[in-house]
């Protein structure tokens, strides 16, 4: 056995060295592959996070633009309706003229859409909008009282002017808050 070992010692040492080299190379390749996979996963996760951020940003910008547009339309329409009521109570326009123009400004689809957008995406702003709509409802209720002779035209005009000023200030504050909340997504 000793003679066989001495005859094949060089071969055994060479084969053992080759196996050790292959083992070490395999281990190094395993760890390098694992490190590369981790780096690739981190890069994918980072890219996915960036894409989610961009998508979220674009989504909130679009919703804010839609909300701004709807809110401006709502505010303009209630202001025009207010002016029509004042024209009616001061006698500047007849009942027929006011009725003809009323439907031009009374868009009942805007307010529920604004409320839905606020509830879903900007719940902090929903109470401010609700307060403005309640004030507008009070103006319209007072107008009904005025045309049914339960409130004098001058009392209506004075109270509605005060209410419209509250709505105007509230709308400015509302748009400022909406802008600030939207800027958080930029």
């Amino acid at each position: 056995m000793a003679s066989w070992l001495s005859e094949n010692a060089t071969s055994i040492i060479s084969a053992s060295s080759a196996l050790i080299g292959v083992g070490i190379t395999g281990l190094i390749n395993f760890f390098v592959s694992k490190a590369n996979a981790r780096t690739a996963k981190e890069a994918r996760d980072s890219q996915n996070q960036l894409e989610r951020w961009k998508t979220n940003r674009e989504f909130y910008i679009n919703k804010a633009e839609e909300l701004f547009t709807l809110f401006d339309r709502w505010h303009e329409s209630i202001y025009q309706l207010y002016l029509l009521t004042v024209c009616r109570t001061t006698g500047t326009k007849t009942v027929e003229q006011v009725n003809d123009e009323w439907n031009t400004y009374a868009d009942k689809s805007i307010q529920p859409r604004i409320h839905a957008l606020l509830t879903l995406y900007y719940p902090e702003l929903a109470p401010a909008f609700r307060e403005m709509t309640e004030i507008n409802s009070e103006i319209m209720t007072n107008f009904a009282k005025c045309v049914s002779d339960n409130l004098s035209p001058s009392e209506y005009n004075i109270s509605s002017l005060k209410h419209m000023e509250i709505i105007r200030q509230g709308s400015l504050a509302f748009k400022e808050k909406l802008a600030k909340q939207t800027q958080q997504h930029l």
Side-chain angles (χ1 to χ4, degrees):
M1 171 94 158
S3 67
W4 178 84
L5 195 55
S6 62
E7 286 176 18
N8 295 320
T10 308
S11 304
I12 292 173
I13 291 173
S14 297
S16 298
S17 296
L19 285 175
I20 290 172
V22 167
I24 290 172
T25 303
L27 282 174
I28 290 172
N29 285 339
F30 173 75
F31 289 119
V32 167
S33 294
K34 196 166 179 117
N36 286 342
R38 186 176 347 109
T39 304
K41 182 183 182 310
E42 288 171 358
R44 275 192 318 274
D45 290 346
S46 176
Q47 184 63 31
N48 288 341
Q49 184 178 5
L50 178 65
E51 290 300 320
R52 279 192 303 274
W53 177 80
K54 283 181 180 178
T55 302
N56 189 41
R57 174 182 174 262
E58 186 176 319
F59 178 78
Y60 268 92
I61 289 172
N62 289 339
K63 290 300 173 190
E65 287 174 355
E66 180 181 4
L67 194 52
F68 263 103
T69 302
L70 286 171
F71 183 78
D72 281 342
R73 281 180 44 205
W74 175 82
H75 188 258
E76 180 63 25
S77 69
I78 67 163
Y79 186 73
Q80 291 301 322
L81 291 173
Y82 157 73
L83 290 178
L84 283 175
T85 63
V86 171
C87 288
R88 173 67 180 95
T89 58
T90 59
T92 310
K93 291 191 179 198
T94 65
V95 174
E96 293 80 23
Q97 289 173 320
V98 170
N99 288 341
D100 288 344
E101 291 183 44
W102 193 271
N103 289 332
T104 305
Y105 303 112
D107 187 351
K108 295 181 181 181
S109 67
I110 296 174
Q111 187 172 325
R113 180 73 179 141
I114 292 171
H115 182 69
L117 289 170
L118 289 174
T119 302
L120 292 172
Y121 306 111
Y122 299 96
E124 307 83 23
L125 297 175
F129 182 68
R130 198 172 311 113
E131 181 181 334
M132 286 184 279
T133 58
E134 288 169 359
I135 292 170
N136 186 52
S137 294
E138 190 174 333
I139 292 171
M140 291 302 135
T141 301
N142 287 342
F143 178 66
K145 288 178 182 177
C146 181
V147 295
S148 62
D149 293 329
N150 292 329
L151 187 66
S152 74
S154 61
E155 288 175 319
Y156 168 74
N157 290 336
I158 291 169
S159 73
S160 63
L161 178 63
K162 289 178 183 176
H163 286 111
M164 283 307 294
E165 180 59 23
I166 293 169
I167 290 174
R168 187 188 70 76
Q169 291 174 0
S171 75
L172 292 174
F174 176 86
K175 291 196 292 191
E176 187 177 313
K177 289 177 186 174
L178 177 59
K180 284 181 181 177
Q181 287 190 11
T182 302
Q183 289 169 358
Q184 291 175 356
H185 297 283
L186 298 180

